[in-house]
Amino acid sequence: MHFASVLLLGTILLPTVPLLGRYSKYLINWWLGRMLAALGVTVELDGEAPAGPMLVVANHCSWLDILVLGRAFNTAFVSKAEVGKWPLVGSFARAGGTLFLSRGAGKTGETSAAIREVLDHDRSVLFFPEGTTTYDPTPHRFHARLFAAAIDGGYPVLPVGLRYADDTTPPGMHHALAPWVNEAPLGPHFRDLFKLHGITAQLRVCAPINPRGYDRRSLAEAARTAVAHRQAMAAARNARRTASAHTADDA
């Protein structure tokens, strides 16, 4: 009921977003916070993004990532064009300034130009370079084509590692109920989420990467490596804490 009421409120407020201009980000950020609270998701930020526009990239687990990262970084997103046609979801995406990626020859250049335009207007842009959701917090291959916007404009790339967990989640893994992979049915996924009594979205902010001297492929791999390293370090730290807690219990 809480989630449905916040969703309804967002639908009512949706027509006001274009009227607020540059102040709309505050309304969007407030509403994202209400959505996460309704789902029992707490955002834990390890590090912070430097000031100024940048290209933010993150590993991808679920549609929840949009709420979490949008709340934390207030960026425009890049999404596949099909999302813009989804009922209600497409309207919310457009209101938030989402850039829709069309498939086909020559479309990448158009999207890169659109990303550059948003960056040039002093707003960061976020996309998921894996191109799909996965069960693993350690990122798979990052597709390189959209990194061109950072290289052409000289904007830094900010890699971010994302993981969903509670006290029972093994180190280095997502909570089993968080991933939404291979466009699984949303109904069972929502049902499972509502069973949770609380889950933490852990955001690990890496050091920004200056794109100077990189081509698209090497920049994408540098970003992927940064996220993988940050996730591995956090997993090792959590494993040590778990082992220490078990030792103390045995004692």
Side-chain angles (χ1 to χ4, degrees):
M1 290 292 292
H2 185 189
F3 177 81
S5 64
V6 176
L7 188 62
L8 177 60
L9 177 62
T11 305
I12 294 170
L13 293 174
L14 193 59
T16 69
V17 172
L19 304 177
L20 295 175
R22 61 191 180 92
Y23 297 104
S24 64
K25 63 183 180 181
Y26 300 108
L27 176 61
I28 293 170
N29 195 261
W30 173 84
W31 182 75
L32 290 173
R34 302 288 72 73
M35 286 285 283
L36 290 170
L39 291 166
V41 178
T42 302
V43 179
E44 178 182 281
L45 188 63
D46 184 1
E48 61 181 66
M54 60 191 65
L55 192 66
V56 185
V57 296
N59 58 298
H60 198 10
C61 170
S62 168
W63 60 272
L64 279 172
D65 304 348
I66 306 295
L67 305 182
V68 170
L69 292 162
R71 170 72 172 169
F73 295 103
N74 190 34
T75 67
F77 283 87
V78 178
S79 176
K80 59 184 181 180
E82 294 92 320
V83 173
K85 300 176 183 178
W86 291 358
L88 193 58
V89 174
S91 298
F92 281 124
R94 283 189 293 273
T98 297
L99 305 174
F100 295 107
L101 174 61
S102 299
R103 304 180 189 276
K107 298 298 183 180
T108 299
E110 294 178 11
T111 305
S112 292
I115 293 172
R116 277 283 310 278
E117 184 176 356
V118 175
L119 292 169
D120 289 345
H121 283 82
D122 207 33
R123 186 180 185 190
S124 295
V125 177
L126 188 149
F127 75 99
F128 301 106
E130 288 172 292
T132 187
T133 52
T134 72
Y135 291 103
D136 191 353
T138 300
H140 296 188
R141 173 177 173 255
F142 277 8
H143 296 281
R145 52 183 178 164
L146 295 184
F147 284 87
I151 295 171
D152 295 342
Y155 290 103
V157 173
L158 185 70
V160 177
L162 172 61
R163 173 179 177 254
Y164 296 95
D166 64 10
D167 292 339
T168 68
T169 308
M173 297 177 64
H174 285 303
H175 191 287
L177 300 183
W180 183 56
V181 178
N182 298 325
E183 299 186 2
L186 267 177
H189 178 65
F190 268 111
R191 181 194 62 214
D192 290 341
L193 283 179
F194 290 137
K195 290 178 182 177
L196 296 175
H197 297 293
I199 190 171
T200 300
Q202 301 170 341
L203 294 177
R204 289 131 184 183
V205 183
C206 304
I209 302 173
N210 187 326
R212 186 176 181 180
Y214 287 96
D215 60 18
R216 292 186 303 175
R217 290 188 181 278
S218 60
L219 183 56
E221 181 55 23
R224 190 204 67 79
T225 300
V227 173
H229 176 72
R230 197 81 157 81
Q231 299 284 56
M233 294 293 289
R237 184 170 62 247
N238 291 337
R240 288 195 296 270
R241 289 175 180 169
T242 300
S244 297
H246 287 165
T247 301
D249 289 341
D250 293 340

